[in-house]
């Protein structure tokens, strides 16, 4: 299989846990906030009353019953959804693959905001696309650099039609692009005839409830939006959506149907029933509270353990799942990963988020699923690994085998 | 609860406008999965258990028909509660 020749398309094994290791690696939501008793009763009702429907194949559409639930979520960030612009996915990972297959041609170049979610870059590579970093300045993805990069690539004979961004509480940095910057980027996209792929799993997880207007809200014709229920409900239902401009809807729907045949009617029914009964506000607030608390615990522990003199720097995010540390002198975080494992903690080295070997000076800590009582201990272990000199770190890693 | 209040429940759960209680749900724009979600909400609201086979009865497939079913269930169940 030709994708076997591209090892970078493999996803890191983030969700595995060792017996004595506190994982700060995988981006799992905190499902303790789910009202499992209520969901259990609803699933039982759904199967009893509509099992022959919910367990059957269905049509490749976002069910009418689910459209108001999607529209509600998108409206919270000023976005727009209706039955006519939605395509069902089994989560944004499928959405990324569908977008790459439907809107790209093998050999095309896709511009990517980096550091980038490895699942996205893997999906793009698997679809045969070449990746190129979109330039950044102090305010994030830079429209002027975008213009320069696209013109240079096109002058070199490359086809460039797509720009991928994860604009709110970005994985892995936690950064959010401002609305004025989004508008400037969209102006550049229109000039350059670039479609913007907006991947937004974390946008509603601002710790204080703050939301940021979607690219899709600013220009629905220039944006293909990827939404998911994985972070505001649960990833186990494998359910999400693409909100697409009308002229792209057919191509995206056709590829989505090829990938999955149809969405899960059971998952769509469960989500629709939950939304009809409870709405989203209470559950999203519970997620926000959980992540605010965990992030504060982790950032406070980092302040206490690493201190202001540390070569590792970070900013407290306003939402999402992640803290992004960078080494002032550019040390390779991979060199500390084994030492961290020897101390009983894991993280994702920044190189996992690169498209061409960059970002090795970064590391991602995920606070969303660490038990609260283990966060301080995890950071103590991490600090012990990070404050060792690389030579000691290497020796420790070798001893630990 | 009267029919008008029941229609409001249908409107809230199904995101449609009930212009006539006797209009079939499908003609109001309520598809099959949404009908299930509605019946789930009705069960919870009224503390009843709807017979899944009864859902195939066209007589139930309107806000008025579903409300008659709920009332009949309540009438049947009432003596048992005394």
């Amino acid at each position: 299989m030709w994708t076997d020749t591209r090892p970078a398309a493999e996803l890191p094994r983030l969700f595995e846990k060792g017996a004595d290791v506190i994982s700060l690696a995988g981006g799992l939501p905190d499902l303790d906030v789910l009202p499992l008793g209520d969901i259990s009763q609803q699933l039982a009702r759904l199967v009893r009353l509509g099992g022959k429907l919910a367990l059957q194949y269905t049509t490749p559409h976002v069910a009418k019953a689910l459209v108001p639930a999607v529209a509600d979520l998108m409206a919270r960030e000023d976005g727009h959804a209706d039955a006519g612009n939605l395509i069902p996915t089994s989560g944004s990972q499928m959405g990324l693959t569908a977008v790459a297959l439907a809107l790209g041609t093998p050999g095309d170049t896709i511009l990517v905001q980096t550091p980038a979610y490895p699942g996205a870059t893997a999906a793009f590579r698997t679809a045969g696309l070449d990746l190129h970093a979109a330039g950044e300045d102090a305010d994030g993805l830079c429209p002027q650099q975008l213009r320069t990069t696209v013109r240079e690539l096109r002058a070199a004979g490359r086809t460039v039609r797509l720009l991928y961004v994860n604009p709110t509480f970005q994985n892995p940095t936690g950064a959010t692009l401002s609305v004025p910057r989004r508008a400037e980027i969209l102006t550049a996209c229109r000039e350059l005839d670039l479609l913007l792929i907006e991947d937004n799993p974390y946008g509603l997880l601002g710790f204080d409830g703050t939301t940021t207007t979607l690219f899709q809200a600013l220009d629905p014709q220039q944006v293909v939006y990827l939404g998911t229920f994985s972070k505001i409900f649960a990833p186990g239902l494998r359910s999400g959506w693409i909100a697409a401009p009308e002229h792209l809807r057919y191509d995206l729907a056709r590829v989505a149907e090829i990938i999955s045949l149809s969405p899960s009617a059971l998952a769509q029914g469960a989500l629709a029933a939950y939304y009809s009964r409870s709405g989203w506000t209470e559950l999203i607030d519970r997620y926000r509270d959980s992540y605010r608390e965990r992030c504060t615990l982790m950032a406070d522990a980092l302040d206490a353990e690493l201190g202001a003199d540390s070569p590792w720097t970070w900013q407290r995010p306003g939402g999402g799942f992640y803290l992004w540390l960078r080494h002032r002198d550019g040390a390779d975080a991979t060199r500390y990963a084994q030492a961290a494992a020897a101390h009983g903690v894991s993280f994702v080295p920044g190189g996992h988020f690169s498209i061409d070997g960059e970002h090795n000076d970064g590391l991602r800590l995920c606070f969303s699923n660490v038990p609260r009582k283990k966060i301080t201990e995890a950071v103590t272990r991490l600090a012990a690994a990070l404050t060792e000199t690389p030579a000691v770190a290497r020796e420790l890693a070798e001893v630990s085998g | 609860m009267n029919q008008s209040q029941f229609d409001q429940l249908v409107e809230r759960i199904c995101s449609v406008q009930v212009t006539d209680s006797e209009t079939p749900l499908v003609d109001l724009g309520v598809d099959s999965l949404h009908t299930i979600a509605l019946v789930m909400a009705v069960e919870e609201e009224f503390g009843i258990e709807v017979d899944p086979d009864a859902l195939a009865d066209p007589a139930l497939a309107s806000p008025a028909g579903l409300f008659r079913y709920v009332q009949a269930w309540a009438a049947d169940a009432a003596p048992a509660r005394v």
Side-chain angles (χ1 to χ4, degrees):
Chain A
M1 193 170 74
W2 75 278
T3 51
D4 288 345
T5 65
R6 295 169 176 263
E10 291 174 6
L11 291 167
R13 299 183 184 282
L14 297 181
F15 304 134
E16 295 177 0
K17 292 180 180 176
D20 193 32
V21 174
I22 304 173
S23 174
L24 308 180
L28 287 77
D30 167 27
L31 299 190
D32 284 349
V33 309
L34 284 177
L36 291 179
D38 292 347
I39 295 169
S40 171
Q41 284 184 2
Q42 288 182 305
L43 283 171
R45 276 190 212 278
L46 175 60
V47 172
R48 177 171 53 79
L49 291 167
K52 290 176 195 168
L53 186 73
L55 295 170
Q56 187 54 279
Y57 290 114
T58 184
T59 57
H61 303 100
V62 172
K64 265 187 177 177
L66 192 56
V67 170
V70 173
D72 177 324
L73 290 173
M74 289 191 67
R76 289 164 190 257
E77 296 168 279
D78 306 321
H80 171 70
D82 61 42
N85 73 341
L86 295 178
I87 297 136
T89 66
S90 59
S92 287
Q93 190 62 42
M94 175 184 156
L96 289 161
T97 304
V99 162
L101 289 170
L103 306 181
T105 300
D108 282 4
T109 298
I110 182 168
L111 292 166
V112 176
Q113 181 190 30
T114 70
Y117 165 55
T121 51
F124 300 151
R125 286 194 168 106
T126 299
L129 305 184
D130 292 330
L131 302 157
H132 195 286
E136 304 240 336
D137 63 14
D139 295 323
L141 200 154
C142 171
Q144 197 49 47
Q145 292 186 51
L146 191 62
R147 290 182 177 92
T148 304
T149 301
V150 170
R151 285 172 184 145
E152 286 175 356
L153 286 167
R154 286 177 177 167
R158 310 294 305 182
T159 299
V160 189
R161 294 183 292 191
L162 301 172
L163 166 65
Y164 169 74
V165 294
N166 174 199
T168 308
F169 310 131
Q170 182 197 8
N171 179 5
T173 65
T176 296
L177 287 168
S178 72
V179 175
R181 176 52 64 98
R182 293 178 190 216
E184 292 167 7
I185 292 167
L186 282 168
T187 299
C189 286
R190 285 189 291 271
E191 286 172 22
L192 299 164
D193 195 21
L194 281 182
L195 262 179
L196 189 146
I197 313 304
E198 181 174 27
D199 185 10
N200 186 37
Y202 308 104
L204 292 175
L205 299 180
F207 301 146
D208 65 357
T210 299
T211 55
T212 306
T213 299
L214 301 177
F215 277 102
Q216 195 262 2
L218 297 172
D219 190 346
Q221 292 306 305
Q222 206 69 33
V223 177
V224 175
Y225 178 87
L226 304 180
T228 179
F229 294 101
S230 294
K231 306 298 195 292
I232 59 93
F233 192 81
L237 289 181
R238 308 310 303 135
S239 199
W241 69 94
I242 302 170
E246 175 59 33
H247 67 285
L248 300 175
R249 209 193 71 81
Y250 173 78
D251 288 342
L252 285 163
R254 184 172 53 85
V255 171
E257 187 172 359
I258 290 167
I259 294 174
S260 68
L261 195 58
S262 70
S264 162
L266 181 67
Q268 294 204 7
L271 288 160
Y274 183 86
Y275 174 72
S276 294
R277 181 180 184 275
S278 306
W280 295 127
T281 300
E282 184 180 348
L283 185 56
I284 290 173
D285 283 347
R286 293 179 72 177
Y287 273 124
R288 285 170 171 160
D289 290 346
S290 165
Y291 301 143
R292 179 178 58 245
E293 182 187 1
R294 282 177 163 80
C295 182
T296 300
L297 286 168
M298 188 172 285
D300 287 352
L302 284 168
D303 281 341
E305 292 284 348
L306 293 177
D309 298 332
S310 169
W312 295 94
T313 64
W314 68 92
Q315 292 188 327
R316 291 184 184 232
F321 279 16
Y322 309 110
L323 273 157
W324 176 244
L325 275 61
R326 293 187 68 190
H327 194 279
R328 292 181 203 275
D329 302 323
D332 185 347
T334 311
R335 293 157 69 184
Y336 296 90
Q338 283 183 300
H343 281 282
V345 64
S346 64
F347 59 81
V348 183
H352 276 292
F353 306 96
S354 78
I355 60 172
D356 196 21
E358 71 281 16
H359 302 301
N360 286 321
D361 62 344
L363 63 89
R364 190 191 76 175
L365 306 179
C366 180
F367 50 78
S368 59
N369 191 250
V370 198
R372 290 169 182 79
K373 62 185 179 186
K374 289 190 174 179
I375 288 176
T376 303
E377 172 62 21
V379 173
T380 300
R381 294 180 186 185
L382 178 74
L386 294 184
T387 52
E388 287 162 0
T389 64
V392 173
R394 272 200 304 275
E395 283 169 18
L396 188 57
E398 284 164 10
V399 169
S400 72
Chain B
M1 182 178 282
N2 59 29
Q3 182 68 55
S4 174
Q5 291 166 324
F6 188 84
D7 289 351
Q8 287 174 21
L9 174 71
V10 175
E11 290 180 341
R12 181 170 62 81
I13 298 296
C14 299
S15 303
V16 295
Q17 191 173 359
V18 179
T19 49
D20 177 350
S21 302
E22 297 291 350
T23 303
L25 288 163
V26 66
D27 292 341
L28 293 172
V30 181
D31 68 6
S32 48
L33 200 59
H34 225 159
T35 301
I36 301 299
L38 172 63
V39 176
M40 290 170 67
V42 166
E43 282 197 345
E44 190 162 353
E45 176 78 22
F46 294 93
I48 67 174
E49 190 165 298
V50 175
D51 177 359
D53 292 335
L55 290 177
D57 183 352
L60 258 68
S62 67
L66 196 53
F67 188 50
R68 281 193 289 271
Y69 182 94
V70 170
Q71 289 178 308
W73 194 97
D76 286 349
R81 290 197 191 112
V82 173

